[in-house]
Amino acid sequence: MIVEWLLNIGAGLLHFMFQALPDITAPDWLTSNTGAFATVFAGAGSMGVWFPSPLLLSVLAGLLALWLVGFGIKLTRMVVSLFTAGGGSAA
Amino acid sequence: MSAVIGRVARSLATVATVGVLSFAMPISASAFVPAPVVAPIIATLAAGGGEGVAATAAGAVCATGIGCAVLGVAAVGIGLYATQDTWLPWVHNLFGQGPATATQSQCAEIHWSVPPSSTPGMTFTIGAWATTPNLGCNITGLISRTWTLPDGSRTSQNGMDWNTDSYPSPATQPGSNNPERFRSFDSPAGWTLVGVDIEFWKAQEPTTVHGTLKWGEAVAAFDPNQANVQARVSCENPDGSMYEVVGTELVDGLIRMPSCVGALGSMQGAHGKCVTLLGSAPGGVLAEQSSTCAAAQALRQEYPGCVGPGVAACKYVVRVDGLPCTVGASACLDWARSAREDPSRVTCRWGTYTVALAGCGILERAYEPRVAPLAPLTATQSNTDGLPETYTAPGPSGQPQSQNVPGPGPGPAPAPQPQPLPNQTPGTIGSPNSPVTQQERECWPSGWGLFNPMSWVMQPVKCAMSWAFVPRAAVVNQLSTSVRADLGSAGIAPLASGVGGNLALLGGGSGCLGPAVSFEAVGIVKPLHPFSACEAPISTLATISRAVSTVAIVCIGGFGAMRAVGSGFGFNVTMGRGKGEGV
């Protein structure tokens, strides 16, 4: 129930935020296969013999995931600390 | 995020500098690098807190010239070892030992000598040799022979090693350093030799080359990759006229199915009916391997209303008491149980045809009401209490379906009623009296459990905690669906897909040429490849660069992972020197 309530609030906030945002249309230079971004990224991808770009992306994605995990752990500790009798906050 | 990117960039620059300096060490006039010069440079590059592993570690190591040299040699050695498959064959080729690219068909050839009589069943001889030994093909391995028996069946015989069970031929084929070897053996009475497989090894990879013998002629080794394959699709137009399309394109070893749409003789609304696959050895006659046309013809004869234009109207529908089921109809909620109790009540229809009930198996829960029109149903849980009224699924609303179950016992019943975890083991306490409902077993002790004080506390607390903190799967699915819908309506999804598509280009490059650059404005039309690493010594530099980058990314990533996880527990993982903090 509690988690459901929190999830409902979160989803409601996201819905309100997305409704408040203006309509976003992806620009052609971002989505086109021949756009500027695609040309630059394709050029960077062809440098794979010099630099392992896929490995870098994987490591960055893993770091982001671990950062989110650490944030989740910290958040959980903060919530749990509210229920303990003393001991200080884990914030 | 920008801070993380900045730190990564500084660390990479530091490692690159260390790598260059270390690589330059062995070729410099003096192996001594003055520490007061190197260390401050490295420390400056990593300025911003000094938490970079490479900065402090490199600074400490390169404080002495020998340390820097060792670090550089180690980095180069790691890179060379990791890429030995790339440069070692090149070295071999340079000294005349490297194999060129070979195909299976160039690896070996099988032939046989004409027996005294062409009648099957006589003694015959098989010879084989490697056509081009410089390709690294050596005839080793086992031989298997395929025979056709008098009853038409086929069998294979194995267990013969070509090197030990064959004999060198006095004649050596021109252009071959491997003399021909032959083997003579008798065929069992009435058996006809169909083919012989001799295993060839190319470098370190086994390559089985199949040789199909024909009486009276020499046959080159059969390369499966050179086989002739064909896919013929029978297509039908809306007016009933038929035509055929043929496909022969192989993609990654699989034949691509040709399309009926747009082919010669096609009309609007044409569709495929069946497909026939044919194959043969190179130069051979195509023979049918498999076909679905016979089954399709049988289907047309048995269900004529569900082929051709009528196929769209043929859907699987369950009927209970003669009425077609709809979502939410009470009689259809558990039609499978109704069918077990009284099979005459339930039928399965495919269009207008009554088919076996198993054909509607996928519709077992299709008529249960859902939270949203396209929301998925909750996972089926095992019926552990054995009561048919609390059947397999608790329902999308999370409520038990039975209304004839006693309440949970003393105390207020929370609404909505708590749902146990799917993997929660209901009760570890034996009881002579079975609990009445699953809910009672989960939240309140029963039977002998009433005399266990631990159960008075543990079970209700566990049940309450589950009820409070474990969200229902249906609710989670509904919320995720709504969030996805909001993302799509706000235009975030196209942006994300655009960014994702561009990031995917980073991993899509291959080859050694690097990006192409052209200067058409000044008349240079032919694209240039300034970063080409196809030839030495640039290829060696590129390999070293990739190896050093890989090591740096992995090391920095590992340190970053430690910091990310440690921060959740309040640990500030650093490698700083003299800061009073650290692991």
Side-chain angles (χ1 to χ4, degrees):
Chain A
M1 282 299 127
I2 297 177
V3 173
E4 284 182 13
W5 181 74
L6 290 173
L7 290 176
N8 268 304
I9 290 179
L13 285 174
L14 283 176
H15 179 76
F16 173 76
M17 189 174 65
F18 288 137
Q19 291 294 320
L21 287 174
D23 291 337
I24 302 173
T25 55
D28 287 339
W29 50 263
L30 180 64
T31 58
S32 170
N33 290 332
T34 57
F37 259 51
T39 303
V40 170
F41 277 91
S46 60
M47 291 287 289
V49 68
W50 291 88
F51 186 81
S53 305
L55 177 64
L56 178 64
L57 284 179
S58 303
V59 168
L60 288 177
L63 282 177
L64 180 63
L66 285 174
W67 180 82
L68 290 173
V69 167
F71 180 76
I73 294 173
K74 196 167 188 178
L75 193 64
T76 304
R77 290 177 61 227
M78 288 166 58
V79 171
V80 170
S81 69
L82 295 175
F83 294 94
T84 56
S89 168
Chain B
M1 191 65 177
S2 61
V4 173
I5 294 174
R7 289 177 191 150
V8 170
R10 282 195 295 271
S11 301
L12 284 175
T14 304
V15 173
T17 302
V18 170
V20 169
L21 288 176
S22 304
F23 188 70
M25 284 302 294
I27 64 175
S28 66
S30 169
F32 174 72
V33 177
V37 176
V38 172
I41 294 177
I42 295 175
T44 302
L45 285 173
E51 77 273 7
V53 175
T56 54
V61 171
C62 282
T64 64
I66 294 178
C68 241
V70 170
L71 181 65
V73 170
V76 171
I78 292 172
L80 291 176
Y81 178 78
T83 59
Q84 61 177 316
D85 290 333
T86 303
W87 57 266
L88 202 58
W90 172 75
V91 174
H92 285 169
N93 280 335
L94 191 63
F95 294 97
Q97 294 180 18
T101 304
T103 63
Q104 291 186 5
S105 60
Q106 297 174 356
C107 197
E109 185 172 341
I110 301 175
H111 84 114
W112 64 283
S113 59
V114 178
S117 169
S118 61
T119 303
M122 303 298 291
T123 302
F124 56 92
T125 301
I126 296 175
W129 64 89
T131 52
T132 310
N134 285 334
L135 295 179
C137 296
N138 294 310
I139 304 173
T140 60
L142 301 178
I143 307 169
S144 66
R145 293 149 288 162
T146 306
W147 303 89
T148 298
L149 275 63
D151 61 359
S153 61
R154 289 197 173 184
T155 186
S156 294
Q157 289 180 331
N158 302 317
M160 183 183 293
D161 189 292
W162 184 252
N163 277 335
T164 58
D165 298 329
S166 62
Y167 310 95
S169 169
T172 301
Q173 295 299 317
S176 166
N177 287 336
N178 290 335
E180 175 186 349
R181 300 181 70 87
F182 70 95
R183 167 74 191 193
S184 298
F185 44 87
D186 299 328
S187 61
W191 288 23
T192 303
L193 185 65
V194 177
V196 173
D197 294 308
I198 302 180
E199 191 175 54
F200 298 88
W201 285 76
K202 177 172 71 68
Q204 288 81 34
E205 299 173 358
T207 302
T208 301
V209 183
H210 175 71
T212 302
L213 299 185
K214 296 181 181 179
W215 299 114
E217 62 182 11
V219 179
F222 172 54
D223 183 354
N225 289 333
Q226 303 299 322
N228 292 329
V229 292
Q230 196 178 88
R232 294 179 183 169
V233 178
S234 296
C235 307
E236 183 181 27
N237 286 316
D239 63 354
S241 59
M242 303 287 290
Y243 61 99
E244 196 174 74
V245 291
V246 177
T248 58
E249 181 186 1
L250 279 174
V251 179
D252 294 334
L254 302 176
I255 187 166
R256 186 190 295 273
M257 281 294 133
S259 173
C260 295
V261 177
L264 184 65
S266 65
M267 297 179 184
Q268 183 76 20
H271 58 276
K273 300 294 295 178
C274 60
V275 60
T276 300
L277 296 177
L278 303 100
S280 74
V285 179
L286 286 172
E288 180 178 311
Q289 304 298 317
S290 65
S291 176
T292 63
C293 293
Q297 182 63 21
L299 195 70
R300 178 194 288 268
Q301 293 173 349
E302 191 169 354
Y303 304 103
C306 284
V307 293
V311 65
C314 288
K315 299 183 190 301
Y316 284 98
V317 176
V318 175
R319 282 177 169 256
V320 178
D321 299 327
L323 297 175
C325 282
T326 56
V327 176
S330 58
C332 300
L333 286 180
D334 199 6
W335 64 264
R337 184 164 63 97
S338 302
R340 287 193 297 272
E341 295 173 351
D342 186 359
S344 63
R345 291 183 59 201
V346 183
T347 55
C348 176
R349 290 282 193 97
W350 183 47
T352 59
Y353 302 100
T354 300
V355 296
L357 208 57
C360 290
I362 59 171
L363 300 177
E364 183 172 348
R365 297 190 59 197
Y367 304 108
E368 293 179 20
R370 306 181 186 202
V371 176
L374 295 180
L377 294 171
T378 56
T380 301
Q381 302 181 15
S382 57
N383 191 349
T384 57
D385 60 6
L387 297 176
E389 51 265 31
T390 56
Y391 58 91
T392 53
S397 61
Q399 305 301 320
Q401 299 299 310
S402 172
Q403 300 299 319
N404 298 322
V405 178
Q417 299 187 15
Q419 297 300 312
L421 290 170
N423 57 353
Q424 194 173 19
T425 302
T428 56
I429 304 166
S431 169
N433 300 315
S434 299
V436 180
T437 65
Q438 187 175 6
Q439 179 184 346
E440 287 183 331
R441 293 180 65 200
E442 296 294 337
C443 299
W444 300 101
S446 58
W448 292 113
L450 289 172
F451 300 98
N452 188 348
M454 288 294 293
S455 299
W456 302 346
V457 177
M458 291 297 294
Q459 277 190 259
V461 169
K462 188 169 64 173
C463 187
M465 295 289 281
S466 301
W467 170 78
F469 292 103
V470 177
R472 288 167 290 179
V475 174
V476 173
N477 288 334
Q478 179 191 5
L479 291 175
S480 64
T481 302
S482 67
V483 170
R484 277 198 295 268
D486 289 336
L487 284 173
S489 63
I492 303 295
L495 280 177
S497 64
V499 172
N502 286 320
L503 287 177
L505 293 175
L506 285 179
S510 62
C512 57
L513 291 175
V517 179
S518 62
F519 302 93
E520 296 179 355
V522 295
I524 301 176
V525 180
K526 183 180 179 181
L528 304 176
H529 298 276
F531 297 101
S532 172
C534 294
E535 296 178 353
I538 303 296
S539 59
T540 307
L541 284 177
T543 305
I544 294 173
S545 166
R546 185 182 174 92
V548 171
S549 305
T550 302
V551 171
I553 291 172
V554 170
C555 290
I556 295 171
F559 182 69
M562 282 196 301
R563 279 183 61 91
V565 177
S567 65
F569 295 97
F571 293 111
N572 185 15
V573 179
T574 63
M575 296 293 287
R577 187 192 309 179
K579 284 183 174 291
E581 296 178 353
V583 178

